[in-house]
Amino acid sequence: MKITQDICDKCVDVLTDDGYNASVVECEPKQYAVYIDSVWDSALQNATSFRLHDEDIMYHASHFG
């Protein structure tokens, strides 16, 4: 299944409701991804972001939204 902006928005809504800092990014025209932002890395003493896999986006958007 293609990951659309609507699916990503739903996933971000679920994650932010659970207290996570998440955002939708348009990587290429009409190709979207969800990033979890401000994840603290104790070893690096820095906050980083990481991209969710498409399967995780679908899971959160469909199971919790």
Side-chain angles (χ1 to χ4, degrees):
M1 176 176 233
K2 182 174 172 64
I3 302 298
T4 64
Q5 184 175 7
D6 290 336
I7 292 170
C8 288
D9 288 339
K10 191 172 186 182
C11 179
V12 167
D13 288 343
V14 169
L15 291 169
T16 54
D17 286 347
D18 285 343
Y20 294 97
N21 188 7
S23 57
V24 176
V25 175
E26 185 174 11
C27 303
E28 294 180 18
K30 297 190 179 196
Q31 185 177 18
Y32 299 93
V34 173
Y35 279 80
I36 302 290
D37 304 313
S38 301
V39 177
W40 184 254
D41 185 333
S42 297
L44 298 175
Q45 294 296 302
N46 192 14
T48 58
S49 297
F50 66 91
R51 182 178 176 170
L52 290 180
H53 291 279
D54 290 352
E55 295 84 9
D56 296 322
I57 294 170
M58 292 302 299
Y59 176 80
H60 286 289
S62 64
H63 286 86
F64 300 103

